[in-house]
């Protein structure tokens, strides 16, 4: 069978066309509920969250991660199909990454040099952020991996990485509701580190779990 015929056959496979959506909804919701429960029991909402959300520096912290997660989710669903057009979504992700970098540059310009280190490291313990974002992301990564096994990706490593990106961004979205640090030098840096760790984990697991 020619490669083109094989791909066309795969594209018609019910696993790739109709089986993924319902499973994804269930497993991702289960992971999200578990993450929210862990968050509620261990961290909780930030005191004065409503007032903090009105601050211009705080708003991107709770907007960019969900936008990244949503874009990555759409992208990973498309990657689960043998034939997928993803260029536009990749451009959106690059735009969101550029926005995070621009926020950091703006913060460097507007923050006195003497305060750079304090803004970068935060006024609280750095470890809760570095630990919480990956841990809150793990249940959702597990849910995504379970669902993606019902797909038919031809790029398991890339699909796993994007699943990790989606899960990491969702974990950062949840943690942002607790995080008291409002400088882009802090959250654009350390949230990105946590998301990157889950993205790399997804890339590692993809070939092991999604190859078929």
């Amino acid at each position: 069978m020619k490669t083109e015929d094989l791909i066309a056959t795969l594209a018609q496979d019910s696993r790739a066309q109709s089986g993924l959506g319902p499973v994804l909804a269930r497993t991702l919701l289960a992971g999200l509920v578990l993450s929210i429960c862990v968050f509620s029991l261990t961290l909780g909402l930030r005191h004065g969250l409503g007032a903090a959300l009105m601050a211009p520096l705080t708003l991107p912290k709770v907007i960019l991660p969900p936008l990244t997660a949503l874009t990555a989710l759409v992208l990973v669903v498309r990657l689960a199909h043998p034939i997928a057009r993803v260029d536009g979504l990749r451009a959106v992700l690059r735009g969101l990454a550029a926005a995070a970098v621009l926020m950091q540059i703006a913060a460097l310009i507007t923050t006195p040099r003497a305060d750079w280190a304090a803004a970068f490291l935060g006024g609280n313990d750095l470890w809760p952020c570095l630990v919480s974002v990956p841990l809150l992301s793990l249940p959702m990564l597990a849910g995504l991996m379970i669902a993606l096994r019902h797909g038919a990706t031809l790029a398991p490593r890339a699909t796993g990485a994007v699943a990790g990106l989606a899960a990491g961004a969702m974990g950062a979205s949840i943690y942002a509701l607790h995080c008291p640090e409002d400088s882009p030098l802090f959250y654009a840096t350390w949230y990105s580190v946590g998301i990157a760790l889950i993205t790399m984990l997804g890339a590692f697991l993809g070939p092991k779990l999604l190859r078929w």
Side-chain angles (χ1 to χ4, degrees):
M1 181 181 291
K2 294 181 179 180
T3 302
E4 293 82 358
D5 295 334
L6 175 60
I7 293 176
T9 301
L10 291 173
Q12 296 172 0
D13 192 327
S14 60
R15 290 171 61 223
Q17 295 296 328
S18 61
L20 178 61
V23 176
L24 178 62
R26 292 194 298 269
T27 59
L28 186 58
L29 179 60
L32 179 61
V33 169
L34 179 56
S35 294
I36 291 176
C37 289
V38 172
F39 172 81
S40 300
L41 292 172
T42 59
L43 297 172
L45 294 175
R46 171 182 178 175
H47 179 70
L49 177 62
L53 292 178
M54 301 301 293
L57 288 179
T58 308
L59 201 56
K61 181 173 67 173
V62 295
I63 290 180
L64 285 180
L67 287 178
T68 302
L70 179 60
T71 306
L73 280 174
V74 176
L75 178 56
V76 80
V77 169
R78 292 192 182 181
L79 285 172
H81 293 257
I83 301 175
R85 297 179 63 87
V86 297
D87 292 344
L89 291 169
R90 287 173 176 167
V92 173
L93 287 176
R94 288 194 291 267
L96 292 170
V101 172
L102 289 175
M103 281 194 307
Q104 288 179 305
I105 294 174
L108 286 172
I109 294 173
T110 57
T111 302
R113 186 180 297 270
D115 297 334
W116 281 2
F120 178 73
L121 295 175
N124 299 276
D125 192 353
L126 178 60
W127 284 106
C129 176
L130 290 178
V131 172
S132 296
V133 171
L135 286 181
L136 291 171
S137 305
L138 286 176
M140 291 171 287
L141 178 60
L144 284 170
M145 287 298 183
I146 292 171
L148 289 171
R149 290 175 63 84
H150 293 260
T153 180
L154 297 180
R157 187 176 300 278
T159 303
V162 178
L165 175 62
M170 285 188 283
S173 301
I174 296 172
Y175 181 71
L177 301 177
H178 167 82
C179 179
E181 303 294 343
D182 294 334
S183 171
L185 290 177
F186 180 91
Y187 62 76
T189 299
W190 301 114
Y191 286 20
S192 297
V193 170
I195 293 171
L197 290 174
I198 299 299
T199 300
M200 290 188 290
L201 178 59
F204 172 76
L205 293 175
K208 299 180 181 299
L209 300 179
L210 306 181
R211 187 180 299 277
W212 56 281

